[in-house]
Amino acid sequence: MQKKNNPKHLIMFTVNHFYEKYSTFRDYSDSERDMFGRRVTEKIIADLKARGASVSVNGIDINEHYLMFGITCSDKNTSVAYVQMCFIKGHHVHTLIYMSPTGSQNVKECVDIISTITIDGMPIMDWIP
């Protein structure tokens, strides 16, 4: 009997310990923010494709507060909605990732969910500089 791959919902929050040039996205010029966003999304997409996944970008939003993008990613057995939000606070990149099986949520629903997450009781959108 072949084992079925049963994907679960996954939320990850990481802080990059490399020191960034500026303390928030607000300090970046528009072109620097665009370059940052392009660099991050292209790396994630290239990594997923290198692992054999089919990747479809559903949207990228970058502004003076955060970078958020959503993709649908699938391989032979699974399909997931993947939403990543990055922001800079205190010269460090903070990353919040929400992944969900696409059968239970699509990228838009994942964005709505990620926007409701709290850190130390404070909504994520209020916590971002």
Side-chain angles (χ1 to χ4, degrees), residues 9 100-106 109:
H9 299 263
S100 173
T102 55
S104 60
Q105 258 118 18
N106 62 34
E109 290 167 327

Side-chain angles (χ1 to χ4, degrees), residues 8-13 68-71 80-85 95-102 104-117:
K8 305 288 184 206
H9 299 263
L10 175 67
I11 297 174
M12 293 186 296
F13 183 69
M68 188 183 302
F69 65 94
I71 59 176
V80 296
Y82 176 103
V83 174
Q84 179 169 324
M85 173 191 279
T95 303
L96 183 60
I97 297 169
Y98 181 74
M99 291 177 17
S100 173
T102 55
S104 60
Q105 258 118 18
N106 62 34
V107 169
K108 165 99 175 70
E109 290 167 327
C110 290
V111 168
D112 293 343
I113 290 168
I114 213 169
S115 300
T116 66
I117 292 173

